[in-house]
Amino acid sequence: CWSVANGRENGQMRNTMLGHFLCSRSHLQKGRWHTLLTSCIFHQRPAHCIFNTCALWTVGRIAAEHLTNVELAGLFAACGLGSSTGHVLLHRRPVLGASGMLMGVFTT
């Protein structure tokens, strides 16, 4: 999606993605709280997305043996919210990607 959105003809799509899928302090100050989670499901580079998807799938399968679907979804959401919040509090640059959520799932 980001590759398409970065094209010259897709300025509106790029602005929408920047406004709703990138998490930053300014977005949270504007009330865009949903970006705490939406930033965890989008990636800028396909290779990064593929790696995180494979890792989440592998770890998710193991976790699914011990958790219900609701508990697993709650774990992913809690790790995503926690990692996005931590990043926003500690860094000035925006966050995008599932790496923080992935690390949270790995450590539980």
Side-chain angles (χ1 to χ4, degrees):
C1 288
W2 284 97
S3 300
V4 173
N6 282 330
R8 293 181 189 199
E9 304 85 33
N10 295 307
Q12 184 176 1
M13 182 179 180
R14 184 177 191 279
N15 289 339
T16 299
M17 291 184 75
L18 287 173
H20 296 285
F21 296 102
L22 199 65
C23 187
S24 67
R25 282 185 195 169
S26 65
H27 285 157
L28 297 180
Q29 289 168 344
K30 293 175 185 174
R32 294 180 184 162
W33 293 94
H34 61 281
T35 61
L36 288 168
L37 283 177
T38 57
S39 65
C40 296
I41 58 171
F42 274 86
H43 293 76
Q44 190 166 7
R45 293 181 179 81
H48 190 199
C49 180
I50 291 168
F51 173 77
N52 281 348
T53 301
C54 289
L56 282 169
W57 180 71
T58 301
V59 174
R61 285 182 40 222
I62 295 166
E65 294 176 9
H66 305 284
L67 302 172
T68 67
N69 290 341
V70 172
E71 291 170 334
L72 187 59
L75 174 64
F76 283 146
C79 291
L81 287 170
S83 65
S84 293
T85 301
H87 183 92
V88 167
L89 291 174
L90 298 173
H91 301 283
R92 293 206 175 273
R93 64 182 192 273
V95 64
L96 178 69
S99 296
M101 180 173 61
L102 178 60
M103 291 301 111
V105 173
F106 272 140
T107 60
T108 51

